[in-house]
Amino acid sequence: MMKKGKLIIISAPSGCGKSTIINEIIKNHDLKLEFSISATTREPRRGEKNGVNYYFMSVDEFKNAISNDELIEYEEVYPGRYYGTPRSEIDRIRNKGRNVILDIDVMGGINVKRKFGDDALSIFIQPPSIDTLRQRLNSRGTDSPEAIDQRVEKAGFEIAQSDRFDKIVVNDRLDVAVRETEDLIKSFINK
Ligand code: 5GP
């Protein structure tokens, strides 16, 4: 029988380059990674597509998914904005023998690792400093000043959770962080 795929959890405070790192490592076909598409109640950003970046849902649809036990975890990542991992995504990808890559918040990452144990590798992407993080969020230009303050404050709490992850990668130089992350995944899936 074909071997079931494993789970690679990537968590980080917002603005640490997590999505960029994920987009890079997904291109490495040897790692057989496939992105787990989350459900969310937030509005799509420009260029985002339903069923590609997220499954965009109303709060009612999201609540239905929770009561039907369709999500393996969910968090209110920002006030009023829910994000969750559909069980169907994990099963669909693993049953093909491919490895699931999850871009989820820090508490979600800890919860998924607890659920899947040795089948999961949890990686925490850390910014070099809080100042660098604020600069990156500013230059990204997708968030209001209030939202940036909110994200920076949250980052302090999240960095304090980093020792609950299997591995930590500091994203100072992107190419180095990508290579480090790839190496960690490689040794985990070949174990
Ligand atoms: P964004 O709104 O910038 O796309 O995502 C905000 C945060 O929500 C990011 O930290 C992202 O990793 C997290 N997130 C995305 N999907 C999920 C999910 O399914 N579960 C949890 N717990 N967090 C998620």
Side-chain angles (χ1 to χ4, degrees):
M1 227 185 74
M2 188 178 47
K3 233 171 80 192
K4 248 188 162 185
K6 295 184 176 176
L7 284 82
I8 312 295
I9 302 159
I10 312 272
S11 297
S14 165
C16 291
K18 179 178 47 170
S19 313
T20 315
I21 292 177
I22 292 177
N23 290 335
E24 283 304 310
I25 58 182
I26 268 181
K27 292 182 199 155
N28 181 341
H29 295 293
D30 294 342
L31 302 178
K32 291 195 190 159
L33 296 173
E34 202 166 314
F35 187 67
S36 160
I37 303 165
S38 294
T40 185
T41 65
R42 84 149 160 76
E43 293 294 316
R45 294 192 184 121
R46 191 201 309 238
E48 284 184 334
K49 286 200 173 68
N50 187 40
V52 177
N53 307 87
Y54 282 105
Y55 297 108
F56 295 101
M57 291 182 178
S58 66
V59 173
D60 278 347
E61 286 170 326
F62 198 92
K63 284 185 177 158
N64 267 330
I66 296 171
S67 45
N68 295 335
D69 198 27
E70 290 168 13
L71 304 177
I72 62 161
E73 62 79 35
Y74 67 92
E75 295 286 329
E76 187 177 7
V77 178
Y78 300 106
R81 294 201 230 152
Y82 293 84
Y83 296 79
T85 307
R87 186 184 309 284
S88 54
E89 284 294 298
I90 308 291
D91 291 345
R92 173 179 71 80
I93 299 168
R94 294 188 80 193
N95 291 340
K96 289 195 287 193
R98 296 180 67 81
N99 303 306
V100 189
I101 186 148
L102 298 105
D103 173 344
I104 65 180
D105 89 318
V106 172
M107 291 320 294
I110 293 168
N111 288 333
V112 174
K113 171 65 191 183
R114 194 185 300 131
K115 253 197 177 116
F116 289 88
D118 290 343
D119 283 342
L121 171 71
S122 61
I123 302 176
F124 188 89
I125 310 286
Q126 193 165 299
S129 71
I130 289 280
D131 280 347
T132 328
L133 177 66
R134 188 180 281 282
Q135 278 164 21
R136 285 181 188 169
L137 287 169
N138 275 323
S139 57
R140 185 163 81 174
T142 48
D143 297 293
S144 66
E146 294 75 30
I148 290 177
D149 285 344
Q150 222 180 52
R151 284 175 190 251
V152 168
E153 187 186 325
K154 196 170 165 178
F157 165 78
E158 290 173 326
I159 291 169
Q161 310 297 313
S162 59
D163 59 351
R164 298 169 75 180
F165 283 73
D166 294 326
K167 304 284 178 189
I168 297 175
V169 171
V170 177
N171 185 13
D172 191 358
R173 278 189 42 196
L174 180 68
D175 55 339
V176 177
V178 168
R179 201 172 337 118
E180 262 181 53
T181 309
E182 280 181 334
D183 287 345
L184 291 173
I185 297 173
K186 238 178 260 168
S187 39
F188 175 70
I189 59 181
N190 292 326
K191 225 174 20 195

